[in-house]
């Protein structure tokens, strides 16, 4: 597929097109949902740019590919346009995240307090991505109030935020950065 133009000028009046050409306002819940997922993917790209090559970085890049699929899924109004098979998450992607969460949790110290986001540069980026992921999840559930969505999408996004939390903890642990915990101010 060759993309010859970046701008179309069709959005200048606050309207955009979903997959299939359906026109909606840019404030539409569907646009908010997949726009936030796209934002999450950009944050993961930033995180990956700071990570060392290896399994963790590979999973972040795999996740970005999955999020592109999620965006395509969310950008398709199935009442107007048939859903392309390539716009559904491959089976088992949520399971992969759960397996990684369990592996990471088994390899780092047990959490005993609420953790303040931050630490090493990579861990801080993972925490930012986690919070954007939670916002994407809220936007997706808001869309789900008016549109039937596949549970795989909501489950995947929910698990992804959990994965990003434990990944941040792992990155701090690997870098020898002590996590700051929440304590009530006196």
């Amino acid at each position: 597929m060759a993309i010859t133009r970046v701008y179309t000028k069709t959005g200048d009046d606050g309207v955009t097109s979903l997959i299939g050409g359906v026109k909606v306002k840019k404030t539409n819940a569907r646009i908010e949902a997949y726009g936030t997922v796209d934002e999450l993917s950009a944050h993961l790209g930033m995180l990956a740019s700071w990570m060392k090559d290896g399994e963790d970085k590979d999973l972040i890049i795999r996740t970005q590919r999955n999020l592109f699929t999620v965006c395509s899924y969310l950008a398709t109004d199935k009442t107007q346009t048939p859903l392309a098979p390539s716009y559904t998450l491959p089976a088992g992607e949520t399971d992969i995240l759960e397996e990684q969460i369990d592996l990471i949790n088994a390899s780092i110290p047990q959490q005993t307090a609420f953790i303040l986001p931050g630490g090493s540069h990579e861990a801080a980026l993972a925490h930012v991505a986690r919070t954007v992921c939670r916002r994407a999840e809220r936007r997706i559930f808001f869309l789900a109030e008016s549109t039937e969505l596949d549970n795989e999408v909501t489950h995947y996004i929910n698990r992804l935020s959990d994965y990003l939390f434990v990944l941040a903890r792992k990155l701090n642990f690997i870098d020898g950065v002590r996590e700051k915990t929440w304590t009530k101010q006196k």
Side-chain angles (χ1 to χ4, degrees), residues 109-181:
Q110 183 176 2
Q111 182 180 345
T112 58
F114 289 110
I115 296 170
L116 299 177
S120 72
H121 191 88
E122 294 90 345
L125 290 170
H127 277 298
V128 170
R130 172 187 58 80
T131 64
V132 175
C133 188
R134 286 289 189 206
R135 181 161 36 90
E137 182 182 18
R138 292 189 302 271
R139 302 304 346 136
I140 290 168
F141 273 110
F142 182 74
L143 175 62
E145 290 178 6
S146 61
T147 304
E148 184 178 329
L149 296 178
D150 181 3
N151 286 337
E152 184 63 22
V153 169
T154 55
H155 294 174
Y156 183 79
I157 295 295
N158 183 270
R159 235 46 108 252
L160 178 56
S161 62
D162 296 333
Y163 166 73
L164 292 169
F165 177 76
V166 297
L167 176 64
R169 294 198 66 226
K170 176 183 178 179
L171 293 168
N172 274 331
F173 181 71
I174 289 170
D175 287 342
V177 176
R178 187 170 180 214
E179 295 172 316
K180 291 179 177 62
T181 57

Side-chain angles (χ1 to χ4, degrees), residues 36-185:
T36 307
V37 172
D38 185 38
E39 180 185 352
L40 169 59
S41 182
H43 281 285
L44 292 178
M46 177 78 78
L47 171 59
S49 76
W50 282 89
M51 294 175 77
K52 295 178 179 81
D53 288 340
E55 290 180 10
D56 292 327
K57 183 175 181 175
D58 291 344
L59 184 53
I60 292 298
I61 294 167
R62 178 187 189 119
T63 300
Q64 285 184 287
R65 289 187 176 108
N66 284 337
L67 292 178
F68 199 91
T69 300
V70 169
C71 283
S72 300
Y73 173 84
L74 293 171
T76 305
D77 181 345
K78 295 182 290 185
T79 66
Q80 305 282 324
T81 305
L83 183 67
S86 62
Y87 297 168
T88 58
L89 280 172
E93 291 300 318
T94 301
D95 295 334
I96 290 169
L97 292 176
E98 290 174 353
E99 290 167 11
Q100 286 302 306
I101 291 166
D102 293 342
L103 285 170
I104 291 171
N105 266 336
S107 70
I108 59 177
Q110 183 176 2
Q111 182 180 345
T112 58
F114 289 110
I115 296 170
L116 299 177
S120 72
H121 191 88
E122 294 90 345
L125 290 170
H127 277 298
V128 170
R130 172 187 58 80
T131 64
V132 175
C133 188
R134 286 289 189 206
R135 181 161 36 90
E137 182 182 18
R138 292 189 302 271
R139 302 304 346 136
I140 290 168
F141 273 110
F142 182 74
L143 175 62
E145 290 178 6
S146 61
T147 304
E148 184 178 329
L149 296 178
D150 181 3
N151 286 337
E152 184 63 22
V153 169
T154 55
H155 294 174
Y156 183 79
I157 295 295
N158 183 270
R159 235 46 108 252
L160 178 56
S161 62
D162 296 333
Y163 166 73
L164 292 169
F165 177 76
V166 297
L167 176 64
R169 294 198 66 226
K170 176 183 178 179
L171 293 168
N172 274 331
F173 181 71
I174 289 170
D175 287 342
V177 176
R178 187 170 180 214
E179 295 172 316
K180 291 179 177 62
T181 57
W182 173 79
T183 54
K184 186 176 179 182
Q185 298 291 351

